[in-house]
């Protein structure tokens, strides 16, 4: 039922900031006890957890990205946004939004993913 759709620029210049929005439909981002995560996958590599936003507004960021990543939400639009600053070509990846439920160790819904390339 729930659908997630990522929205982001396809190309970002190095040193710039990147914002990616997860558009959620078929379910409210404030419904307990769901959370929405950002995961990325560079070409030929595995998935990397980036950050998450819980239904209650609490958020967290992977420590490896703590200085560059943040997550916010707009409950009126039912959207969650990831912001990544000072991007480099190493940030080139497919970015996914995924929903999980507190108490479960697997995501129950994924967006289709969106390719973001960092290049000049």
């Amino acid at each position: 039922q729930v659908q997630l759709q990522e929205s982001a620029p396809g190309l970002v210049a190095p040193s710039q900031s990147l914002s990616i929005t997860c558009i959620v439909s078929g379910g409210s981002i404030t419904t307990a006890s769901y959370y929405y995560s950002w995961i990325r996958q560079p070409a030929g590599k595995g998935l990397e957890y980036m950050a998450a936003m819980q239904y209650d507004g609490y958020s967290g960021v992977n420590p490896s990205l703590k200085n560059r990543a943040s997550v916010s939400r707009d409950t009126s639009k039912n959207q969650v946004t990831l912001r990544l600053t000072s991007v480099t070509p190493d940030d080139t990846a497919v970015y996914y939004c995924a929903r999980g439920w507190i108490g479960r160790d697997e995501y129950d819904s994924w967006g289709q993913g969106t390719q973001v390339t960092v290049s000049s």
Side-chain angles (χ1 to χ4, degrees):
Q1 291 180 321
V2 67
Q3 291 184 300
L4 310 178
Q5 176 67 56
E6 299 90 348
S7 179
L11 181 65
V12 183
S15 81
Q16 299 301 301
S17 295
L18 169 67
S19 291
I20 310 175
T21 296
C22 179
I23 304 167
V24 182
S25 60
S28 173
I29 63 173
T30 64
T31 297
S33 298
Y34 291 110
Y35 62 91
Y36 296 82
S37 295
W38 287 103
I39 303 101
R40 68 180 178 183
Q41 184 172 35
K45 299 182 180 180
L47 297 170
E48 178 188 20
Y49 165 79
M50 300 184 70
M53 171 65 69
Q54 292 188 170
Y55 67 99
D56 57 2
Y58 185 85
S59 63
V61 178
N62 185 326
S64 69
L65 300 169
K66 195 72 172 181
N67 293 330
R68 296 198 297 128
S70 62
V71 61
S72 61
R73 69 176 185 172
D74 186 335
T75 57
S76 67
K77 295 181 178 179
N78 211 39
Q79 297 176 348
V80 178
T81 297
L82 171 74
R83 184 167 186 259
L84 186 67
T85 64
S86 303
V87 299
T88 74
D90 288 338
D91 293 313
T92 296
V94 176
Y95 286 75
Y96 297 93
C97 178
R99 187 184 75 168
W101 186 78
I102 297 173
R104 299 278 187 176
D105 60 359
E106 301 290 340
Y107 297 110
D108 67 357
S109 184
W110 291 73
Q112 66 180 2
T114 184
Q115 173 71 42
V116 176
T117 299
V118 180
S119 176
S120 59

